[in-house]
Amino acid sequence: MTQQQPPWPSPGSSSSSNPRGKCWLILVLMAVLPMVPDVGALPFLFSHIKPQINWTQPEMESWVIEEQPRSIEPHLEPVLHPNRTHRALSSDSTDAEFLQRLVSMRHNQTASSRMLWYDVAGGDGLVYPPFVDKALKLLNLKQVAFEIENSVMSKVTCTACRAGAGMLQHQIQSGKTDAELIRMITDYCTNLNIQSARVCQGVAQLFGSELIYVLKRVNLSPDELCSFVIGDGCADVYNPYHEWEVIFPPVPKPPRLADLPIPMEAAPFFKVLHISDTHYDPHYAEGSNADCNEPLCCRLSSGRPATPNAAAGKWGDYRKCDTPKRTVDHMLSHIAETHKDIDYILWTGDLPPHDVWNQTKEENLAIIKDTVKQMVEMFPGVPIFPALGNHESAPVNSFPPPYVNQVDISISWLYDELDIQWRRWLPQSVTHTVRRGAFYSVLVRPGFRIISLNMNYCNNKNWWLLLNSTDPATELQWFIYELQSAEFSNEKVHVIGHIPPGHSDCLKVWSRNFYKIISRYESTVTAQFYGHTHYDEFEMFYDPHDLNHPNGIAYIGPSVSPYYDLNPGYRIYYVDGDHDATTRLVIDHESWIMNLKEANLYGYPIWYKLYTARAAYNMKALRPSDWNNLLNELTNNQELFELYYKYYWKNSPARPTCDAECKKRLICDCRSGRSHDRKHFCAEVESKIDEESSKSWKSWFYKGLTNS
């Protein structure tokens, strides 16, 4: 599918010319559909013959990018903070004291990765219906559920997806009504004890009709469908419907520097707060069951706890529970009191909780309004730059592109309200793009711009993209226009969003195009900021033709929600400020957390600085080259990696141990700013880790023989 080349501003013209996979249940339901005892349908399970559906390309509306208003007046008025300093390289005795206290903590070693249901062999009391016993063993649905929930896919999930997609397409072609299909999904979900009856019914009603609507209108085989949704865990099936390229203007790329300059010490800077993945749960109930068998617990509806240890804590819980109001209130009060000199805030989405089976548009809008009101009251006069998360829609992950404009399925109910709420902080010029696709561009200071992207248009759990994934809402083409205008105006840009572009939840074709854009405008984009994963991590970007040249860094901020096995947290960044030699790079960053175990034990939370990046990792700066050097050290230095792993989990006592496979995955996640392309980025890293692991094993074996 081709794009029309938009007109571009000439160099001499003025710039004024603007959590894991949350839909796991639908794929599991698709996986169990082949268990229908319908012998006549069996040939359709792995059919390579495409269903005979008349596929028509959705009508694309015309939207002229260069005619949209742009933010050209600086939006932030700097506030003078007397005696404010940032000691980037100095030691911090307060940090040392806290770290010493953390070392002396007694970790809870009983925690392990939790499944969506318990193991029958372990005596959980669940008995699966006899007619699916063999199918359960064949498809290994427990593994499927675990992989989808944690966005780590394998051939197990791929096989189940292909089988379920083939059967569901067959049932649609056989003439079953939407009501019959939804009832069938509900029945099988309930009969297989995948979830409680209410969760099965809610998910089938919320997601089933949307999925059926889309599948009726696409001409894709099960192989193509599952490759689209799962990515490199399900082969790389070529699909011409979902291959596209953005168009770059005919402007030469500026010569790249051998390395970026290190920001000047003692120069002015901006202090920036980053909050992500709040997942505020208005129905959280202290003392309720935290160990339920549903996607979200710690509510009165979760039932009574079986034991005292299964009761939800006062300030939150490490199990599948979101953030109680008192914790959100306490965190914001702490931030307002501790960081009185914040210049602006990055707010990267995911406000509603994980009760994905019974959410409504009205409830999600109420949470958005309440949270915005709270932020305005807690940080009066502080500019806030928000980005849209994947949980703000109802159902979750459902973000139809603009060409889906029917009243009952259009996304305008959300985007129109976001425009109203976000306008408390953003200029009038963003209205057009926010209402179109929930993205915008704002000039923060002269020579410094923030661009907020709607990363749900790269979300492979967004079923609407199966209809047409070609640059939804023309967002990436608009992004190029903004970056080119910024390059002409000698502006530096920070990009914010929710889903990191290198995460497995991001479509491969979208991520590939985004990666090209970052490479082309590496001299303009100086930092990126995301959330979604709930962990404390980062992603690297490299020249696509030279992996020895790092050209970008994405900071992935920790979640406020403890969901799950995590401590609540937030980030503070120090950004190179207004001066003649400014780089607009991040000078340093701090991660702050609250130890949930201690808060529940002593009845009161204490928020403290867990670490500062440069001091913890002994980095002279935070340029892409410095982060690349750190990646190499993490690969070769096990002690340093264990420190990173502790910070990655926000020092949670419930974190599992990390073996060689875990280490490869985490380091590869950092190295891969382009999704579903681990073979390209990670072969060398994985080989080194395998080699070190082999040496360690041989050393252990040799010492054992020697001691014997």
Side-chain angles (χ1 to χ4, degrees):
M1 300 178 184
T2 59
Q3 298 270 340
Q4 290 187 349
Q5 181 169 336
W8 302 100
S10 63
S13 66
S14 170
S15 64
S16 60
S17 310
N18 173 0
R20 304 176 190 197
K22 304 305 187 299
C23 278
W24 53 265
L25 197 47
I26 281 296
L27 286 183
V28 173
L29 295 175
M30 290 170 65
V32 302
L33 283 175
M35 301 166 195
V36 182
D38 182 356
V39 177
L42 292 179
F44 290 86
L45 288 181
F46 297 98
S47 171
H48 295 286
I49 302 176
K50 293 184 179 180
Q52 297 302 312
I53 299 176
N54 292 325
W55 189 89
T56 55
Q57 178 176 339
E59 182 178 350
M60 302 298 290
E61 88 288 25
S62 60
W63 187 65
V64 184
I65 295 173
E66 73 276 7
E67 291 181 358
Q68 307 310 311
R70 295 190 72 240
S71 171
I72 58 174
E73 295 296 330
H75 191 61
L76 174 67
E77 289 298 329
V79 178
L80 294 178
H81 301 283
N83 303 319
R84 182 171 77 167
T85 60
H86 171 61
R87 296 174 298 165
L89 296 178
S90 63
S91 61
D92 192 329
S93 59
T94 305
D95 282 357
E97 293 172 2
F98 272 119
L99 289 175
Q100 184 60 40
R101 181 172 67 86
L102 295 173
V103 169
S104 64
M105 282 176 49
R106 182 176 300 172
H107 295 308
N108 174 14
Q109 299 296 341
T110 61
S112 59
S113 297
R114 295 181 175 84
M115 306 298 290
L116 296 175
W117 51 77
Y118 300 110
D119 189 358
V120 177
D124 64 8
L126 295 179
V127 179
Y128 299 116
F131 80 95
V132 300
D133 196 35
K134 290 184 179 179
L136 281 172
K137 294 177 181 177
L138 174 65
L139 292 179
N140 195 0
L141 294 182
K142 293 184 183 182
Q143 181 68 16
V144 172
F146 176 80
E147 290 182 359
I148 294 171
E149 185 175 18
N150 291 277
S151 297
V152 180
M153 309 299 190
S154 74
K155 292 182 179 179
V156 177
T157 297
C158 180
T159 300
C161 176
R162 288 170 175 169
M167 175 57 76
L168 188 54
Q169 287 180 326
H170 166 70
Q171 297 293 341
I172 291 174
Q173 292 180 66
S174 67
K176 284 190 173 8
T177 65
D178 290 5
E180 289 173 328
L181 291 168
I182 291 174
R183 186 166 56 251
M184 183 175 63
I185 293 173
T186 303
D187 290 343
Y188 277 98
C189 173
T190 305
N191 291 338
L192 291 174
N193 291 314
I194 294 176
Q195 281 293 344
S196 64
R198 65 175 185 145
V199 173
C200 291
Q201 183 177 8
V203 168
Q205 291 291 339
L206 275 174
F207 297 94
S209 57
E210 176 181 299
L211 179 61
I212 294 167
Y213 178 94
V214 170
L215 289 182
K216 283 181 176 180
R217 289 161 175 79
V218 298
N219 184 25
L220 301 175
S221 70
D223 284 355
E224 292 169 330
L225 280 169
C226 295
S227 178
F228 180 90
V229 173
I230 295 176
D232 58 358
C234 202
D236 189 11
V237 179
Y238 174 74
N239 184 345
Y241 291 143
H242 297 286
E243 287 295 330
W244 49 273
E245 303 285 344
V246 291
I247 300 172
F248 290 94
V251 179
K253 178 180 177 179
R256 79 183 193 192
L257 301 174
D259 201 355
L260 297 175
I262 295 178
M264 293 173 53
E265 296 290 345
F269 61 85
F270 293 129
K271 186 174 182 179
V272 182
L273 168 65
H274 183 189
I275 296 177
S276 193
D277 296 88
T278 311
H279 291 293
Y280 155 57
D281 186 0
H283 303 293
Y284 185 97
E286 179 186 357
S288 61
N289 185 15
D291 203 13
C292 72
N293 194 27
E294 291 184 341
L296 184 65
C297 306
C298 294
R299 293 175 156 196
L300 291 177
S301 58
S302 303
R304 293 179 179 273
T307 66
N309 288 335
K314 178 179 180 179
W315 297 96
D317 203 281
Y318 287 121
R319 287 158 289 197
K320 291 185 178 177
C321 306
D322 274 321
T323 319
K325 186 177 189 302
R326 62 164 58 97
T327 302
V328 176
D329 293 345
H330 193 277
M331 180 193 71
L332 295 180
S333 297
H334 148 76
I335 293 173
E337 180 64 28
T338 306
H339 307 286
K340 296 181 179 180
D341 55 346
I342 291 174
D343 291 298
Y344 62 88
I345 299 172
L346 305 179
W347 195 19
T348 52
D350 266 13
L351 310 184
H354 288 86
D355 58 338
V356 297
W357 70 91
N358 66 349
Q359 290 180 336
T360 65
K361 296 176 181 178
E362 292 74 22
E363 288 176 348
N364 280 15
L365 288 178
I367 288 177
I368 291 172
K369 293 176 183 177
D370 290 347
T371 313
V372 166
K373 181 174 180 290
Q374 186 178 31
M375 294 291 285
V376 170
E377 293 172 349
M378 294 302 300
F379 304 103
V382 178
I384 299 179
F385 300 98
L388 181 63
N390 62 302
H391 272 263
E392 272 76 299
S393 184
V396 65
N397 296 319
S398 177
F399 295 88
Y403 61 77
V404 181
N405 53 18
Q406 295 94 316
V407 175
D408 56 333
I409 55 178
S410 168
I411 195 65
S412 61
W413 67 271
L414 177 60
Y415 291 175
D416 291 353
E417 185 61 39
L418 289 179
D419 179 48
I420 295 172
Q421 298 301 323
W422 291 358
R423 283 282 306 283
R424 297 169 185 254
W425 307 295
L426 304 179
Q428 170 75 32
S429 60
V430 308
T431 290
H432 296 275
T433 54
V434 169
R435 289 181 178 255
R436 173 179 173 80
F439 49 85
Y440 62 85
S441 173
V442 172
L443 185 67
V444 181
R445 295 291 301 147
F448 179 41
R449 180 174 296 272
I450 288 179
I451 296 179
S452 177
L453 296 178
N454 182 356
M455 301 302 289
N456 293 294
Y457 290 137
C458 89
N459 187 353
N460 53 17
K461 309 300 187 298
N462 183 5
W463 305 104
W464 295 103
L465 301 186
L466 285 167
L467 293 173
N468 187 347
S469 66
T470 304
D471 193 11
T474 329
E475 181 180 31
L476 287 184
Q477 208 64 62
W478 167 87
F479 185 43
I480 291 174
Y481 179 84
E482 285 292 321
L483 292 179
Q484 188 60 65
S485 299
E487 183 181 278
F488 286 156
S489 302
N490 199 29
E491 296 171 355
K492 300 301 181 185
V493 172
H494 284 184
V495 178
I496 67 173
H498 182 67
I499 300 175
H503 194 269
S504 59
D505 285 347
C506 187
L507 280 176
K508 182 175 183 177
V509 62
W510 197 100
S511 180
R512 184 183 67 220
N513 278 282
F514 181 85
Y515 204 83
K516 291 180 180 178
I517 295 173
I518 295 300
S519 179
R520 165 59 184 85
Y521 296 100
E522 64 176 276
S523 62
T524 299
V525 178
T526 58
Q528 304 172 52
F529 306 87
Y530 303 98
H532 186 61
T533 72
H534 291 204
Y535 298 106
D536 189 301
E537 51 183 328
F538 64 95
E539 273 183 4
M540 290 295 304
F541 290 75
Y542 298 87
D543 187 317
H545 307 293
D546 180 9
L547 294 184
N548 292 317
H549 174 61
N551 59 15
I553 176 68
Y555 298 93
I556 303 175
S559 64
V560 174
S561 173
Y563 190 100
Y564 57 96
D565 286 344
L566 296 168
N567 284 318
Y570 66 88
R571 277 257 187 96
I572 294 289
Y573 298 98
Y574 298 93
V575 176
D576 205 1
D578 289 344
H579 57 94
D580 292 341
T582 183
T583 63
R584 302 299 182 185
L585 291 168
V586 174
I587 302 170
D588 205 352
H589 75 67
E590 305 166 349
S591 285
W592 291 66
I593 68 167
M594 178 257 281
N595 187 292
L596 190 54
K597 181 179 179 181
E598 291 186 351
N600 287 332
L601 181 63
Y602 299 116
Y604 189 80
I606 297 177
W607 297 85
Y608 62 93
K609 182 165 54 177
L610 177 63
Y611 76 98
T612 57
R614 290 174 63 181
Y617 300 128
N618 194 26
M619 304 170 72
K620 62 181 180 180
L622 298 188
R623 301 166 299 175
S625 59
D626 299 303
W627 286 106
N628 184 58
N629 291 337
L630 174 63
L631 263 184
N632 294 330
E633 290 187 49
L634 291 176
T635 304
N636 302 319
N637 186 333
Q638 183 62 25
E639 184 178 352
L640 184 64
F641 174 78
E642 289 173 357
L643 182 67
Y644 171 78
Y645 185 67
K646 181 175 75 171
Y647 296 155
Y648 172 88
W649 278 89
K650 294 181 280 184
N651 200 38
S652 167
R655 68 183 183 271
T657 56
C658 189
D659 57 14
E661 290 302 314
C662 161
K663 181 178 180 180
K664 286 192 291 187
R665 178 175 61 82
L666 263 60
I667 293 181
C668 188
D669 285 346
C670 294
R671 191 169 170 80
S672 306
R674 190 170 69 201
S675 69
H676 305 289
D677 208 355
R678 304 180 81 86
K679 292 180 181 178
H680 182 72
F681 291 104
C682 303
E684 183 179 351
V685 169
E686 291 179 343
S687 176
K688 286 183 179 179
I689 295 175
D690 285 337
E691 183 179 350
E692 289 300 319
S693 177
S694 175
K695 288 180 180 178
S696 299
W697 182 88
K698 290 176 181 178
S699 175
W700 169 83
F701 185 72
Y702 176 77
K703 288 179 181 178
L705 290 177
T706 304
N707 292 335
S708 299

